[in-house]
Structure formats: C-alpha cells, structure tokens
Amino acid sequence: MRLLHTSDWHLGRSFHRVNLLPAQEAFVDHLVATVRAERVDAVLVAGDVYDRAVPPLAAVELFDDALHRLAGLGVPTVMISGNHDSPRRLGVGARLMERAGVHLRTTPGGSATPVVLTDRHGDVAVYGLPYLEPALVRDELGATRADHASVLEAAADLVRADLATRSAGTRSVALAHAFVTGGVPCDSERDITVGGVAAVPAEVFAGLDYVALGHLHGCQRITERVRYSGSPLAYSFSEAAQRKSMWLVDLGPRGEIAAERVDCPVPRPLARVRGTLEELLADPSLERHEDAWVEATLIDPYRPEEPMARLTARFPHLLALSFDPQGAEDDPLTSYAQRLRGRSDQQIAEDFVAHVRGTVPDERERAVLNEAFDAVRTRAVADEAVAP
C-alpha cells in the first residue's frame, strides 16, 4: 500500500509580512498532482492543518478545496488535529466527510477507532492520535501522569489493544502530533513543554508498522518506522537549510517499509547573511541571494544610517534585519533579543528571579514556576476549544 505522509500545513500563516496563501495553494496543487502521478492509496496529514484555532476564511476555503480534490480522486485521507488546530472546529462535519473518504480524528476517544484500508495483501488499520494536551485528556485516557509521554503511551496502548483483536497479518499505521526524542526542532514551532519536558520516546509507538509524525517542521527520520514529514513550506529563517518534502511510503505485505522523499515547491529561497553593511552591499558571493527572502545580521560596531533602505536596494526581498555589533561596548537593547533566543519561558522566568533577587530559584520555586506555566498554557488550550 502506498501512503503519502504530510503535516504542518499551517494554512493561513504568513512569513514575516509576506502572505503565503498563494504558496500554500501551489502546495495543494502539488499534493493532488503527486497523489495522481504516484498512484497513492491514502494520504496521511499529521496535524497543524491550520495555523491557529480560528483560521481566516481564505485558509478555510483552501482546506475545503484540498479535501474536495482529494475526495474527487477517490483516495482516502486520514487527518488529525495538531496543537495549532481547534479540535472541535476541525472535527465539524467529520461523520459526513467520512462518507467521501475523508477521515478526521480530533478527539482522544477516536484514537483506537482505525480507518481500515484494504489491498491485495489484506487489511491496513490506520489510527489517528491527535495532539493530546496532557492535563485535559489524562483522565479520559487513563494515563498515570499528566505529561506527554504518559498520555501518548495510554493512547498507544489503546491502539495496540484494538490491533490485537484484528485478524492476523493486519498491518498498522498511526498518525501522531508530538515532539519525539531525537527530533530536531526549529524556531517556528509552538512550545508544547509540560512540566519542563516536551519530548516522548519513540518506544511509545512500539509494535506499529509505520508512524506518521507531525509537529516538527524539518523532514526527518527518528527510526525506520517513525518519521516526520515536516512542513511543506518554511515558516522561519531557521528553516533556511531545510529541504521541504513529503514522505512517499510503500508498506509491504508483512509491514516492510520503503520510503522516499517527494520535494515540495519552493515559492522563494531563504537566505541568512551576516557582516558589516558595506560587506553585505559589496560582496559578490551574495549575488545568488538577491532574489531570495533575506534575513540580514549587521555586525558594525555602531548602527549605520538607513541600513534597511540601503540593503533593500540590493536585496529587494529583505524581510528581517537584526544587529550584533562586534567590538563595541555591550548594548543591552541590542543584545536583549539574542539573550532570549532559544530560551524557554521557564528559563526566562528563572533568569528574572535570579536578576531581581540575586540568587537562582531552588527546586521548590522552579516547580512552582513550572506549574504556573503549565496551568496558563492548559487554560489557553481549553479556552481555544470553546471560543465562539
């Protein structure tokens, strides 16, 4: 059985000030063309279909167009909600869509109810594990703790229990939206840390033939059977070196896996350039970036005059400009963003306590901060789910 694994469409998202809807439309065209050309048997979409819980109308229309076109090809689509999606909104009409071959899994209770597909070798049970917010789903799943590993383990146990009731030789596929240990993150993913821990071990999915992951935006292989497709488009300059693609997976009669990458269309390349203003304006090796979306970092000891206007004359698609002065006295205003880059909310709060009080927080105080951040994030997720 041939599967096309994609995720993290983030319909409705922009890139700095650039509207990405035309690029997302081009991706949908490419997706449909790939399904047709490669004779795909099923499409797997592993969450973050939209960029936010209440997406703009244009994003909803594009989603609707994608589903209609896939259904028109007669190819089943299995889709889960991610941490950016509103499960209730994405799941509206799920029972009706199922008649057209579009299978939405947006609630924990649906995790162990597979979409059963059949080829000449027998059945393939496809399970959809949507993004599981630990504090909200722990009791429903019977998890031992309110953390990502525990709730995913509980959901996977339900999947394995259902699989055990099926005929011998039934192959298994699962979709999940999570941060799995060994994955490489980037700047454009929303933090899902709970209790200071975000990652779950790949062993959670033991016994499944293929696991189609979403959440991380870089295409990557955790194990031979556990993979991220990554996002079809770049959503931050930290993805400048990433090759955007989908996984085309052939699932053999005994669960063997053969996978290859199918490249996605690139609306415009990304480039990160660094140097003094005069170097960036004069360096001939940077000619290849003149048509790219550019992030420039200036290292002049002092800020030059009108740097944005002067750089834009050479790089008309310059989108981001930052300063990292070399050889000058430390400028707290200039370096503030750099000091925060890559640090979690928890780490920033701990640094603030240490700065104000003069001593770092102890274990008990760190635990209090942890609980506070977890409570705020859980409340935000719960509010999104019931927002009008």
Side-chain angles (χ1 to χ4, degrees), residues 130-202:
Y131 172 70
L132 301 170
E133 181 60 43
L136 299 181
V137 305
R138 173 187 178 178
D139 293 340
E140 182 177 351
L141 290 174
T144 56
R145 294 184 303 278
D147 59 42
H148 287 295
S150 296
V151 297
L152 260 180
E153 181 73 42
D157 284 344
L158 294 175
V159 166
R160 284 185 282 265
D162 178 84
L163 188 59
T165 68
R166 300 191 176 273
S167 59
T170 298
R171 290 157 290 166
S172 56
V173 173
L175 290 75
H177 196 88
F179 185 177
V180 175
T181 303
V184 180
C186 58
D187 292 346
S188 58
E189 299 134 2
R190 183 183 292 175
D191 182 28
I192 58 171
T193 300
V194 174
V197 178
V200 302

Side-chain angles (χ1 to χ4, degrees), residues 210-354:
Y210 183 71
V211 180
L213 293 175
H215 180 58
L216 299 185
H217 289 182
C219 182
Q220 49 200 293
R221 186 180 69 177
I222 304 301
T223 71
E224 187 64 23
R225 298 184 181 275
V226 181
R227 300 169 186 249
Y228 283 98
S229 67
S231 59
L233 297 170
Y235 293 115
S236 72
F237 277 103
S238 65
E239 300 166 62
Q242 291 181 1
R243 172 188 165 195
K244 294 300 182 180
S245 59
M246 302 177 284
W247 284 112
L248 189 63
V249 180
D250 285 317
L251 182 63
R254 291 177 297 279
E256 310 96 312
I257 294 293
E260 62 177 289
R261 294 174 69 175
V262 177
D263 290 333
C264 294
V266 178
R268 192 178 296 277
L270 305 186
R272 306 179 99 170
V273 298
R274 179 183 175 89
T276 66
L277 178 60
E278 295 306 322
E279 288 171 346
L280 298 187
L281 292 175
D283 188 346
S285 69
L286 300 181
E287 288 181 7
R288 66 187 189 278
H289 299 318
E290 289 178 358
D291 194 44
W293 281 324
V294 172
E295 176 192 63
T297 301
L298 295 182
I299 64 171
D300 301 74
Y302 301 99
R303 295 197 185 202
E305 292 185 13
E306 300 184 339
M308 193 73 175
R310 294 168 66 187
L311 283 169
T312 302
R314 182 177 191 187
F315 305 105
H317 304 288
L318 177 69
L319 297 183
L321 177 62
S322 61
F323 299 88
D324 182 21
Q326 305 294 301
E329 294 182 4
D330 289 342
D331 179 353
L333 294 178
T334 299
S335 59
Y336 180 71
Q338 293 172 320
R339 294 202 306 273
L340 298 187
R341 186 171 297 150
R343 300 184 68 76
S344 68
D345 291 342
Q346 172 86 17
Q347 292 170 320
I348 293 169
E350 291 179 12
D351 288 348
F352 176 76
V353 171

